[in-house]
């Protein structure tokens, strides 16, 4: 894709979104960076200005989506903003946490799509990148509510891809593995460890996080992969943006549901695990 026109990135004040916004700007697109609190955008605006990147900031809270001021030449949309929480067994995850995950990671995303899709469809061109998570590819215990909120968007991406293809608009789902951000750091501790019936599995999961942390790439490295994917003229619906994500996606494509479940059972719930 010719890197001209404008891009919109949600959750652009930090983490992956910030790096993607700057990378799109370096490739030559004018960037609309949406942030929940415009007061947090100062460092982003300063870095963009120093790099000669055209970047403007707009307010967007996924819990209360208000009208966006979309540029006429909008052609790249990156739904990046998201929340991670509630690392508990399904039986214990509080319903307000479940509702917040779905509100932010699914309902709010659809509300943004309600605004950007008619715009891109009318132009007859563009790409929508949706950042979900490679966690949807693995039956990790205690991530169920988060994974479900991301899987909901994954399913929506498939439908959206078919709906928009006739109008020249493409959809790309990006499933990150570990990227070194506040979000990843916040997923290190599992509250499930405080629940005796689940303690052994939670401790096993937390120990496995060493390998996850070691595999983490920088947001900047992930952003290069994400922007390459979005600006490519062709490519698959789903892709990763880091080596662990690549491996998980390749394994997911090469195995059956039962093979994957058997692997995850052996990994996280081996025979002899404590019973209640
Ligand atoms: N990092 C990873 O390893 C990883 C792996 C898989 C998937 N992901 C996904 O990648 C995306 C970015 O992750 P990250 O690690 O960069 O996350 P992060 O460091 O936690 O940043 C999250 C971003 O989302 C914004 N956000 C959260 N709730 C919002 C709301 N209600 N309305 C508007 N903005 C909201 C945050 O804004 P505030 O600054 O205002 O809070 C922030 O900009 C997320 O969708 C995440 O689920 C990340």
């Amino acid at each position: 894709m010719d890197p001209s026109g404008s891009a919109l990135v949600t959750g652009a004040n930090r983490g992956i979104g910030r790096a993607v916004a700057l990378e799109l700007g370096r490739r030559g697109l004018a960037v609309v960076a949406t942030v929940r609190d415009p007061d947090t955008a100062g460092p982003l605006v300063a870095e963009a200005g120093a790099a000669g990147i055209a970047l403007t900031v707009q307010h967007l809270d996924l819990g209360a989506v208000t009208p966006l001021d979309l540029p006429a030449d909008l052609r790249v949309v990156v739904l990046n903003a998201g929340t991670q929480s509630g690392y508990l067994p399904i039986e214990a995850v509080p319903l307000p946490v479940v509702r917040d995950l779905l509100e932010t990671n699914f309902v709010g995303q659809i509300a943004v799509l309600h605004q950007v899709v008619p715009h891109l469809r009318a132009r007859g061109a563009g790409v929508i990148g949706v950042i979900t998570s490679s966690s949807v590819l693995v039956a990790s215990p205690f991530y169920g509510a988060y994974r479900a909120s991301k899987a909901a968007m994954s399913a929506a991406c498939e439908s959206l891809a078919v709906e928009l293809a006739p109008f020249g608009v493409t959809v790309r789902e990006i499933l990150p593995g570990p990227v070194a951000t506040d979000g990843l750091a916040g997923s290190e501790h599992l509250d499930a460890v405080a629940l005796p019936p689940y303690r052994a599995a939670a401790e096993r999961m937390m120990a496995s996080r060493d390998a996850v942390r070691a595999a983490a790439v920088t947001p900047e490295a992930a952003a290069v992969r994400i922007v390459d994917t979005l600006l490519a003229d062709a490519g698959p619906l789903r892709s990763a943006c880091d080596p662990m994500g690549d491996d998980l996606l390749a394994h997911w494509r090469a195995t059956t549901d039962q093979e994957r479940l058997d692997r995850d059972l052996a990994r996280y719930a081996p025979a002899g695990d404590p019973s209640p």
Side-chain angles (χ1 to χ4, degrees), residues 11-17 36-37 40 60-63 80-84 104 131-134 146 150 176-184:
N13 57 329
R14 60 192 173 103
I16 296 171
R36 179 159 47 176
D37 176 2
T40 64
L60 173 70
D61 185 335
L62 290 166
N80 160 81
T83 190
Q84 304 95 1
T104 304
I131 312 291
T132 62
S133 171
S134 64
Y146 169 70
K150 290 295 190 177
V179 182
T181 64
D182 299 339
L184 183 68

PDB file of all heavy atoms in Angstrom, residues 11-17 36-37 40 60-63 80-84 104 131-134 146 150 176-184, ligand 1:
ATOM      1  N   GLY A  11      -5.584   4.119  21.817  1.00  0.00           N
ATOM      2  CA  GLY A  11      -4.676   3.792  22.928  1.00  0.00           C
ATOM      3  C   GLY A  11      -3.245   4.136  22.581  1.00  0.00           C
ATOM      4  O   GLY A  11      -2.315   3.350  22.823  1.00  0.00           O
ATOM      5  N   ALA A  12      -3.036   5.341  22.029  1.00  0.00           N
ATOM      6  CA  ALA A  12      -1.736   5.692  21.441  1.00  0.00           C
ATOM      7  C   ALA A  12      -0.799   6.392  22.415  1.00  0.00           C
ATOM      8  O   ALA A  12       0.297   6.794  22.017  1.00  0.00           O
ATOM      9  CB  ALA A  12      -1.958   6.572  20.202  1.00  0.00           C
ATOM     10  N   ASN A  13      -1.200   6.540  23.677  1.00  0.00           N
ATOM     11  CA  ASN A  13      -0.324   7.280  24.598  1.00  0.00           C
ATOM     12  C   ASN A  13       0.797   6.428  25.169  1.00  0.00           C
ATOM     13  O   ASN A  13       1.782   6.954  25.678  1.00  0.00           O
ATOM     14  CB  ASN A  13      -1.150   7.887  25.747  1.00  0.00           C
ATOM     15  CG  ASN A  13      -1.925   6.833  26.507  1.00  0.00           C
ATOM     16  OD1 ASN A  13      -2.330   5.818  25.943  1.00  0.00           O
ATOM     17  ND2 ASN A  13      -2.115   7.046  27.797  1.00  0.00           N
ATOM     18  N   ARG A  14       0.657   5.076  25.095  1.00  0.00           N
ATOM     19  CA  ARG A  14       1.704   4.225  25.666  1.00  0.00           C
ATOM     20  C   ARG A  14       1.663   2.841  25.030  1.00  0.00           C
ATOM     21  O   ARG A  14       0.728   2.514  24.280  1.00  0.00           O
ATOM     22  CB  ARG A  14       1.591   4.132  27.187  1.00  0.00           C
ATOM     23  CG  ARG A  14       0.283   3.564  27.700  1.00  0.00           C
ATOM     24  CD  ARG A  14       0.165   3.784  29.197  1.00  0.00           C
ATOM     25  NE  ARG A  14      -1.139   3.404  29.695  1.00  0.00           N
ATOM     26  CZ  ARG A  14      -1.403   2.276  30.363  1.00  0.00           C
ATOM     27  NH1 ARG A  14      -0.429   1.420  30.604  1.00  0.00           N
ATOM     28  NH2 ARG A  14      -2.610   2.006  30.794  1.00  0.00           N
ATOM     29  N   GLY A  15       2.683   2.055  25.350  1.00  0.00           N
ATOM     30  CA  GLY A  15       2.695   0.668  24.923  1.00  0.00           C
ATOM     31  C   GLY A  15       2.732   0.493  23.415  1.00  0.00           C
ATOM     32  O   GLY A  15       3.333   1.268  22.671  1.00  0.00           O
ATOM     33  N   ILE A  16       2.059  -0.561  22.973  1.00  0.00           N
ATOM     34  CA  ILE A  16       2.082  -0.918  21.549  1.00  0.00           C
ATOM     35  C   ILE A  16       1.468   0.192  20.699  1.00  0.00           C
ATOM     36  O   ILE A  16       1.972   0.527  19.625  1.00  0.00           O
ATOM     37  CB  ILE A  16       1.331  -2.255  21.334  1.00  0.00           C
ATOM     38  CG1 ILE A  16       2.056  -3.393  22.068  1.00  0.00           C
ATOM     39  CG2 ILE A  16       1.208  -2.571  19.849  1.00  0.00           C
ATOM     40  CD1 ILE A  16       1.279  -4.721  22.095  1.00  0.00           C
ATOM     41  N   GLY A  17       0.371   0.776  21.185  1.00  0.00           N
ATOM     42  CA  GLY A  17      -0.320   1.805  20.403  1.00  0.00           C
ATOM     43  C   GLY A  17       0.564   3.007  20.128  1.00  0.00           C
ATOM     44  O   GLY A  17       0.562   3.561  19.024  1.00  0.00           O
ATOM     45  N   ARG A  36      -7.278   8.107  26.023  1.00  0.00           N
ATOM     46  CA  ARG A  36      -8.380   8.251  26.975  1.00  0.00           C
ATOM     47  C   ARG A  36      -8.284   9.588  27.693  1.00  0.00           C
ATOM     48  O   ARG A  36      -9.263  10.262  27.902  1.00  0.00           O
ATOM     49  CB  ARG A  36      -8.323   7.079  27.964  1.00  0.00           C
ATOM     50  CG  ARG A  36      -9.379   7.121  29.001  1.00  0.00           C
ATOM     51  CD  ARG A  36      -9.648   5.787  29.619  1.00  0.00           C
ATOM     52  NE  ARG A  36      -8.472   5.013  30.023  1.00  0.00           N
ATOM     53  CZ  ARG A  36      -8.551   3.859  30.650  1.00  0.00           C
ATOM     54  NH1 ARG A  36      -9.734   3.361  30.929  1.00  0.00           N
ATOM     55  NH2 ARG A  36      -7.470   3.203  30.993  1.00  0.00           N
ATOM     56  N   ASP A  37      -7.060   9.971  28.048  1.00  0.00           N
ATOM     57  CA  ASP A  37      -6.844  11.229  28.770  1.00  0.00           C
ATOM     58  C   ASP A  37      -5.828  12.069  27.995  1.00  0.00           C
ATOM     59  O   ASP A  37      -4.629  11.758  28.007  1.00  0.00           O
ATOM     60  CB  ASP A  37      -6.319  10.921  30.180  1.00  0.00           C
ATOM     61  CG  ASP A  37      -5.985  12.187  30.954  1.00  0.00           C
ATOM     62  OD1 ASP A  37      -6.195  13.298  30.418  1.00  0.00           O
ATOM     63  OD2 ASP A  37      -5.507  12.052  32.099  1.00  0.00           O
ATOM     64  N   THR A  40      -2.215  12.857  29.011  1.00  0.00           N
ATOM     65  CA  THR A  40      -1.125  11.868  28.998  1.00  0.00           C
ATOM     66  C   THR A  40      -0.402  11.835  27.654  1.00  0.00           C
ATOM     67  O   THR A  40       0.532  11.048  27.478  1.00  0.00           O
ATOM     68  CB  THR A  40      -1.654  10.448  29.291  1.00  0.00           C
ATOM     69  OG1 THR A  40      -2.544  10.058  28.220  1.00  0.00           O
ATOM     70  CG2 THR A  40      -2.386  10.376  30.617  1.00  0.00           C
ATOM     71  N   LEU A  60     -10.623   9.523  23.230  1.00  0.00           N
ATOM     72  CA  LEU A  60     -11.493   8.359  23.021  1.00  0.00           C
ATOM     73  C   LEU A  60     -11.461   7.487  24.269  1.00  0.00           C
ATOM     74  O   LEU A  60     -10.400   6.996  24.675  1.00  0.00           O
ATOM     75  CB  LEU A  60     -11.014   7.517  21.822  1.00  0.00           C
ATOM     76  CG  LEU A  60     -11.773   6.186  21.636  1.00  0.00           C
ATOM     77  CD1 LEU A  60     -13.207   6.433  21.179  1.00  0.00           C
ATOM     78  CD2 LEU A  60     -11.059   5.275  20.648  1.00  0.00           C
ATOM     79  N   ASP A  61     -12.607   7.298  24.868  1.00  0.00           N
ATOM     80  CA  ASP A  61     -12.747   6.359  25.981  1.00  0.00           C
ATOM     81  C   ASP A  61     -13.649   5.233  25.491  1.00  0.00           C
ATOM     82  O   ASP A  61     -14.803   5.470  25.132  1.00  0.00           O
ATOM     83  CB  ASP A  61     -13.360   7.070  27.198  1.00  0.00           C
ATOM     84  CG  ASP A  61     -13.408   6.153  28.423  1.00  0.00           C
ATOM     85  OD1 ASP A  61     -13.429   4.913  28.252  1.00  0.00           O
ATOM     86  OD2 ASP A  61     -13.437   6.684  29.543  1.00  0.00           O
ATOM     87  N   LEU A  62     -13.116   4.018  25.481  1.00  0.00           N
ATOM     88  CA  LEU A  62     -13.888   2.902  24.944  1.00  0.00           C
ATOM     89  C   LEU A  62     -15.107   2.578  25.792  1.00  0.00           C
ATOM     90  O   LEU A  62     -16.015   1.884  25.332  1.00  0.00           O
ATOM     91  CB  LEU A  62     -12.984   1.664  24.815  1.00  0.00           C
ATOM     92  CG  LEU A  62     -11.938   1.780  23.713  1.00  0.00           C
ATOM     93  CD1 LEU A  62     -10.876   0.693  23.873  1.00  0.00           C
ATOM     94  CD2 LEU A  62     -12.578   1.696  22.338  1.00  0.00           C
ATOM     95  N   GLY A  63     -15.125   3.082  27.005  1.00  0.00           N
ATOM     96  CA  GLY A  63     -16.291   2.863  27.862  1.00  0.00           C
ATOM     97  C   GLY A  63     -17.415   3.841  27.584  1.00  0.00           C
ATOM     98  O   GLY A  63     -18.533   3.651  28.080  1.00  0.00           O
ATOM     99  N   ASN A  80      -6.227  -0.691  18.861  1.00  0.00           N
ATOM    100  CA  ASN A  80      -5.196  -1.220  19.752  1.00  0.00           C
ATOM    101  C   ASN A  80      -5.599  -1.162  21.222  1.00  0.00           C
ATOM    102  O   ASN A  80      -5.297  -2.082  21.985  1.00  0.00           O
ATOM    103  CB  ASN A  80      -3.901  -0.421  19.554  1.00  0.00           C
ATOM    104  CG  ASN A  80      -2.966  -0.576  20.728  1.00  0.00           C
ATOM    105  OD1 ASN A  80      -2.244  -1.559  20.842  1.00  0.00           O
ATOM    106  ND2 ASN A  80      -2.967   0.415  21.627  1.00  0.00           N
ATOM    107  N   ALA A  81      -6.253  -0.083  21.642  1.00  0.00           N
ATOM    108  CA  ALA A  81      -6.543   0.107  23.068  1.00  0.00           C
ATOM    109  C   ALA A  81      -7.274  -1.105  23.624  1.00  0.00           C
ATOM    110  O   ALA A  81      -8.169  -1.665  22.985  1.00  0.00           O
ATOM    111  CB  ALA A  81      -7.389   1.363  23.269  1.00  0.00           C
ATOM    112  N   GLY A  82      -6.865  -1.520  24.800  1.00  0.00           N
ATOM    113  CA  GLY A  82      -7.515  -2.668  25.411  1.00  0.00           C
ATOM    114  C   GLY A  82      -7.118  -2.761  26.864  1.00  0.00           C
ATOM    115  O   GLY A  82      -6.202  -2.076  27.325  1.00  0.00           O
ATOM    116  N   THR A  83      -7.822  -3.620  27.589  1.00  0.00           N
ATOM    117  CA  THR A  83      -7.534  -3.769  29.003  1.00  0.00           C
ATOM    118  C   THR A  83      -7.327  -5.234  29.339  1.00  0.00           C
ATOM    119  O   THR A  83      -7.851  -6.122  28.657  1.00  0.00           O
ATOM    120  CB  THR A  83      -8.680  -3.160  29.844  1.00  0.00           C
ATOM    121  OG1 THR A  83      -8.276  -3.097  31.199  1.00  0.00           O
ATOM    122  CG2 THR A  83      -9.967  -3.959  29.740  1.00  0.00           C
ATOM    123  N   GLN A  84      -6.510  -5.459  30.360  1.00  0.00           N
ATOM    124  CA  GLN A  84      -6.219  -6.816  30.830  1.00  0.00           C
ATOM    125  C   GLN A  84      -6.430  -6.837  32.338  1.00  0.00           C
ATOM    126  O   GLN A  84      -5.875  -6.003  33.041  1.00  0.00           O
ATOM    127  CB  GLN A  84      -4.749  -7.207  30.556  1.00  0.00           C
ATOM    128  CG  GLN A  84      -4.304  -7.100  29.100  1.00  0.00           C
ATOM    129  CD  GLN A  84      -3.639  -5.778  28.777  1.00  0.00           C
ATOM    130  OE1 GLN A  84      -3.475  -4.925  29.632  1.00  0.00           O
ATOM    131  NE2 GLN A  84      -3.271  -5.592  27.536  1.00  0.00           N
ATOM    132  N   THR A 104     -14.734  -2.902  27.206  1.00  0.00           N
ATOM    133  CA  THR A 104     -13.555  -2.254  26.631  1.00  0.00           C
ATOM    134  C   THR A 104     -13.033  -3.002  25.399  1.00  0.00           C
ATOM    135  O   THR A 104     -12.752  -2.393  24.367  1.00  0.00           O
ATOM    136  CB  THR A 104     -12.437  -2.179  27.689  1.00  0.00           C
ATOM    137  OG1 THR A 104     -12.932  -1.508  28.841  1.00  0.00           O
ATOM    138  CG2 THR A 104     -11.220  -1.436  27.156  1.00  0.00           C
ATOM    139  N   ILE A 131      -6.003  -5.379  17.146  1.00  0.00           N
ATOM    140  CA  ILE A 131      -5.031  -6.045  18.007  1.00  0.00           C
ATOM    141  C   ILE A 131      -5.805  -6.910  18.995  1.00  0.00           C
ATOM    142  O   ILE A 131      -6.485  -6.381  19.889  1.00  0.00           O
ATOM    143  CB  ILE A 131      -4.154  -5.031  18.783  1.00  0.00           C
ATOM    144  CG1 ILE A 131      -3.602  -3.937  17.866  1.00  0.00           C
ATOM    145  CG2 ILE A 131      -3.033  -5.752  19.521  1.00  0.00           C
ATOM    146  CD1 ILE A 131      -2.581  -4.352  16.871  1.00  0.00           C
ATOM    147  N   THR A 132      -5.712  -8.210  18.829  1.00  0.00           N
ATOM    148  CA  THR A 132      -6.341  -9.111  19.807  1.00  0.00           C
ATOM    149  C   THR A 132      -5.236  -9.661  20.700  1.00  0.00           C
ATOM    150  O   THR A 132      -4.534  -8.905  21.353  1.00  0.00           O
ATOM    151  CB  THR A 132      -7.162 -10.213  19.100  1.00  0.00           C
ATOM    152  OG1 THR A 132      -6.307 -11.005  18.288  1.00  0.00           O
ATOM    153  CG2 THR A 132      -8.296  -9.611  18.303  1.00  0.00           C
ATOM    154  N   SER A 133      -5.021 -10.971  20.716  1.00  0.00           N
ATOM    155  CA  SER A 133      -3.972 -11.532  21.581  1.00  0.00           C
ATOM    156  C   SER A 133      -3.712 -12.977  21.188  1.00  0.00           C
ATOM    157  O   SER A 133      -4.666 -13.732  20.920  1.00  0.00           O
ATOM    158  CB  SER A 133      -4.416 -11.478  23.040  1.00  0.00           C
ATOM    159  OG  SER A 133      -3.514 -12.203  23.851  1.00  0.00           O
ATOM    160  N   SER A 134      -2.443 -13.374  21.198  1.00  0.00           N
ATOM    161  CA  SER A 134      -2.131 -14.787  20.927  1.00  0.00           C
ATOM    162  C   SER A 134      -2.609 -15.676  22.071  1.00  0.00           C
ATOM    163  O   SER A 134      -2.625 -16.894  21.932  1.00  0.00           O
ATOM    164  CB  SER A 134      -0.636 -14.971  20.691  1.00  0.00           C
ATOM    165  OG  SER A 134       0.069 -14.652  21.861  1.00  0.00           O
ATOM    166  N   TYR A 146     -10.386 -12.550  30.054  1.00  0.00           N
ATOM    167  CA  TYR A 146      -9.637 -11.717  29.097  1.00  0.00           C
ATOM    168  C   TYR A 146      -9.622 -12.366  27.717  1.00  0.00           C
ATOM    169  O   TYR A 146      -9.906 -11.712  26.709  1.00  0.00           O
ATOM    170  CB  TYR A 146      -8.207 -11.512  29.612  1.00  0.00           C
ATOM    171  CG  TYR A 146      -7.270 -10.897  28.596  1.00  0.00           C
ATOM    172  CD1 TYR A 146      -7.399  -9.576  28.211  1.00  0.00           C
ATOM    173  CD2 TYR A 146      -6.246 -11.659  28.020  1.00  0.00           C
ATOM    174  CE1 TYR A 146      -6.540  -9.018  27.264  1.00  0.00           C
ATOM    175  CE2 TYR A 146      -5.384 -11.113  27.083  1.00  0.00           C
ATOM    176  CZ  TYR A 146      -5.536  -9.787  26.704  1.00  0.00           C
ATOM    177  OH  TYR A 146      -4.691  -9.240  25.765  1.00  0.00           O
ATOM    178  N   LYS A 150     -11.122 -11.046  23.935  1.00  0.00           N
ATOM    179  CA  LYS A 150     -10.316 -10.930  22.712  1.00  0.00           C
ATOM    180  C   LYS A 150     -10.838 -11.866  21.619  1.00  0.00           C
ATOM    181  O   LYS A 150     -10.827 -11.518  20.435  1.00  0.00           O
ATOM    182  CB  LYS A 150      -8.850 -11.243  23.027  1.00  0.00           C
ATOM    183  CG  LYS A 150      -8.168 -10.174  23.870  1.00  0.00           C
ATOM    184  CD  LYS A 150      -8.075  -8.876  23.101  1.00  0.00           C
ATOM    185  CE  LYS A 150      -7.204  -7.844  23.769  1.00  0.00           C
ATOM    186  NZ  LYS A 150      -7.061  -6.618  22.968  1.00  0.00           N
ATOM    187  N   PRO A 176      -0.705 -10.409  19.177  1.00  0.00           N
ATOM    188  CA  PRO A 176       0.630 -10.309  19.776  1.00  0.00           C
ATOM    189  C   PRO A 176       0.896 -11.439  20.766  1.00  0.00           C
ATOM    190  O   PRO A 176       0.007 -11.863  21.497  1.00  0.00           O
ATOM    191  CB  PRO A 176       0.608  -8.959  20.515  1.00  0.00           C
ATOM    192  CG  PRO A 176      -0.555  -8.216  19.966  1.00  0.00           C
ATOM    193  CD  PRO A 176      -1.548  -9.265  19.557  1.00  0.00           C
ATOM    194  N   GLY A 177       2.158 -11.883  20.775  1.00  0.00           N
ATOM    195  CA  GLY A 177       2.680 -12.632  21.907  1.00  0.00           C
ATOM    196  C   GLY A 177       3.178 -11.587  22.898  1.00  0.00           C
ATOM    197  O   GLY A 177       2.676 -10.461  22.923  1.00  0.00           O
ATOM    198  N   PRO A 178       4.182 -11.921  23.709  1.00  0.00           N
ATOM    199  CA  PRO A 178       4.610 -10.954  24.725  1.00  0.00           C
ATOM    200  C   PRO A 178       5.361  -9.750  24.144  1.00  0.00           C
ATOM    201  O   PRO A 178       6.315  -9.893  23.397  1.00  0.00           O
ATOM    202  CB  PRO A 178       5.536 -11.784  25.628  1.00  0.00           C
ATOM    203  CG  PRO A 178       5.976 -12.935  24.800  1.00  0.00           C
ATOM    204  CD  PRO A 178       4.880 -13.214  23.830  1.00  0.00           C
ATOM    205  N   VAL A 179       4.865  -8.580  24.529  1.00  0.00           N
ATOM    206  CA  VAL A 179       5.490  -7.309  24.156  1.00  0.00           C
ATOM    207  C   VAL A 179       5.696  -6.545  25.468  1.00  0.00           C
ATOM    208  O   VAL A 179       4.764  -6.446  26.284  1.00  0.00           O
ATOM    209  CB  VAL A 179       4.591  -6.515  23.187  1.00  0.00           C
ATOM    210  CG1 VAL A 179       5.284  -5.215  22.777  1.00  0.00           C
ATOM    211  CG2 VAL A 179       4.236  -7.345  21.959  1.00  0.00           C
ATOM    212  N   ALA A 180       6.897  -6.026  25.660  1.00  0.00           N
ATOM    213  CA  ALA A 180       7.263  -5.449  26.961  1.00  0.00           C
ATOM    214  C   ALA A 180       6.577  -4.100  27.184  1.00  0.00           C
ATOM    215  O   ALA A 180       7.077  -3.051  26.771  1.00  0.00           O
ATOM    216  CB  ALA A 180       8.779  -5.293  27.050  1.00  0.00           C
ATOM    217  N   THR A 181       5.416  -4.146  27.811  1.00  0.00           N
ATOM    218  CA  THR A 181       4.614  -2.944  28.070  1.00  0.00           C
ATOM    219  C   THR A 181       4.073  -3.015  29.500  1.00  0.00           C
ATOM    220  O   THR A 181       4.195  -4.041  30.174  1.00  0.00           O
ATOM    221  CB  THR A 181       3.403  -2.878  27.125  1.00  0.00           C
ATOM    222  OG1 THR A 181       2.559  -4.002  27.421  1.00  0.00           O
ATOM    223  CG2 THR A 181       3.811  -2.913  25.663  1.00  0.00           C
ATOM    224  N   ASP A 182       3.402  -1.944  29.919  1.00  0.00           N
ATOM    225  CA  ASP A 182       2.718  -1.960  31.211  1.00  0.00           C
ATOM    226  C   ASP A 182       1.703  -3.105  31.255  1.00  0.00           C
ATOM    227  O   ASP A 182       1.508  -3.747  32.292  1.00  0.00           O
ATOM    228  CB  ASP A 182       1.958  -0.642  31.440  1.00  0.00           C
ATOM    229  CG  ASP A 182       2.883   0.563  31.464  1.00  0.00           C
ATOM    230  OD1 ASP A 182       4.090   0.382  31.701  1.00  0.00           O
ATOM    231  OD2 ASP A 182       2.372   1.687  31.230  1.00  0.00           O
ATOM    232  N   GLY A 183       1.046  -3.317  30.109  1.00  0.00           N
ATOM    233  CA  GLY A 183       0.026  -4.369  30.056  1.00  0.00           C
ATOM    234  C   GLY A 183       0.615  -5.736  30.344  1.00  0.00           C
ATOM    235  O   GLY A 183       0.040  -6.528  31.094  1.00  0.00           O
ATOM    236  N   LEU A 184       1.784  -6.024  29.758  1.00  0.00           N
ATOM    237  CA  LEU A 184       2.421  -7.326  30.014  1.00  0.00           C
ATOM    238  C   LEU A 184       2.843  -7.424  31.470  1.00  0.00           C
ATOM    239  O   LEU A 184       2.627  -8.456  32.123  1.00  0.00           O
ATOM    240  CB  LEU A 184       3.634  -7.514  29.089  1.00  0.00           C
ATOM    241  CG  LEU A 184       4.313  -8.875  29.238  1.00  0.00           C
ATOM    242  CD1 LEU A 184       3.410  -9.999  28.736  1.00  0.00           C
ATOM    243  CD2 LEU A 184       5.650  -8.911  28.501  1.00  0.00           C
TER     244      LEU A 184
HETATM  245  N1  LIG B   1       1.777  -6.353  25.674  1.00  0.00           N
HETATM  246  C1  LIG B   1       1.474  -7.596  25.358  1.00  0.00           C
HETATM  247  O1  LIG B   1       2.267  -8.506  25.621  1.00  0.00           O
HETATM  248  C2  LIG B   1       0.173  -7.907  24.658  1.00  0.00           C
HETATM  249  C3  LIG B   1      -0.055  -9.238  24.303  1.00  0.00           C
HETATM  250  C4  LIG B   1      -1.247  -9.560  23.666  1.00  0.00           C
HETATM  251  C5  LIG B   1      -2.172  -8.582  23.356  1.00  0.00           C
HETATM  252  N2  LIG B   1      -1.904  -7.285  23.710  1.00  0.00           N
HETATM  253  C6  LIG B   1      -2.921  -6.275  23.353  1.00  0.00           C
HETATM  254  O2  LIG B   1      -2.287  -5.184  22.708  1.00  0.00           O
HETATM  255  C7  LIG B   1      -2.988  -3.972  22.999  1.00  0.00           C
HETATM  256  C8  LIG B   1      -2.010  -2.962  23.592  1.00  0.00           C
HETATM  257  O3  LIG B   1      -1.440  -3.565  24.721  1.00  0.00           O
HETATM  258  P1  LIG B   1      -0.299  -2.878  25.611  1.00  0.00           P
HETATM  259  O4  LIG B   1       0.455  -3.983  26.216  1.00  0.00           O
HETATM  260  O5  LIG B   1       0.366  -1.806  24.851  1.00  0.00           O
HETATM  261  O6  LIG B   1      -1.269  -2.279  26.729  1.00  0.00           O
HETATM  262  P2  LIG B   1      -1.024  -1.183  27.868  1.00  0.00           P
HETATM  263  O7  LIG B   1       0.405  -0.891  28.026  1.00  0.00           O
HETATM  264  O8  LIG B   1      -1.783  -1.686  29.051  1.00  0.00           O
HETATM  265  O9  LIG B   1      -1.798   0.057  27.229  1.00  0.00           O
HETATM  266  C9  LIG B   1      -3.183  -0.067  27.039  1.00  0.00           C
HETATM  267  C10 LIG B   1      -3.662   1.092  26.203  1.00  0.00           C
HETATM  268  O10 LIG B   1      -5.074   0.959  26.051  1.00  0.00           O
HETATM  269  C11 LIG B   1      -5.694   2.129  26.569  1.00  0.00           C
HETATM  270  N3  LIG B   1      -6.987   1.848  27.179  1.00  0.00           N
HETATM  271  C12 LIG B   1      -7.277   0.939  28.135  1.00  0.00           C
HETATM  272  N4  LIG B   1      -8.571   1.020  28.456  1.00  0.00           N
HETATM  273  C13 LIG B   1      -9.102   2.010  27.692  1.00  0.00           C
HETATM  274  C14 LIG B   1     -10.398   2.566  27.563  1.00  0.00           C
HETATM  275  N5  LIG B   1     -11.425   2.143  28.308  1.00  0.00           N
HETATM  276  N6  LIG B   1     -10.578   3.550  26.664  1.00  0.00           N
HETATM  277  C15 LIG B   1      -9.559   3.992  25.909  1.00  0.00           C
HETATM  278  N7  LIG B   1      -8.303   3.523  25.979  1.00  0.00           N
HETATM  279  C16 LIG B   1      -8.091   2.529  26.870  1.00  0.00           C
HETATM  280  C17 LIG B   1      -4.721   2.650  27.618  1.00  0.00           C
HETATM  281  O11 LIG B   1      -4.985   4.010  27.908  1.00  0.00           O
HETATM  282  P3  LIG B   1      -4.613   4.644  29.352  1.00  0.00           P
HETATM  283  O12 LIG B   1      -3.157   5.009  29.294  1.00  0.00           O
HETATM  284  O13 LIG B   1      -5.521   5.792  29.473  1.00  0.00           O
HETATM  285  O14 LIG B   1      -4.875   3.564  30.387  1.00  0.00           O
HETATM  286  C18 LIG B   1      -3.396   2.428  26.894  1.00  0.00           C
HETATM  287  O15 LIG B   1      -3.191   3.392  25.918  1.00  0.00           O
HETATM  288  C19 LIG B   1      -4.112  -4.347  23.969  1.00  0.00           C
HETATM  289  O16 LIG B   1      -5.304  -4.520  23.251  1.00  0.00           O
HETATM  290  C20 LIG B   1      -3.643  -5.670  24.549  1.00  0.00           C
HETATM  291  O17 LIG B   1      -4.712  -6.489  25.002  1.00  0.00           O
HETATM  292  C21 LIG B   1      -0.769  -6.939  24.358  1.00  0.00           C
END
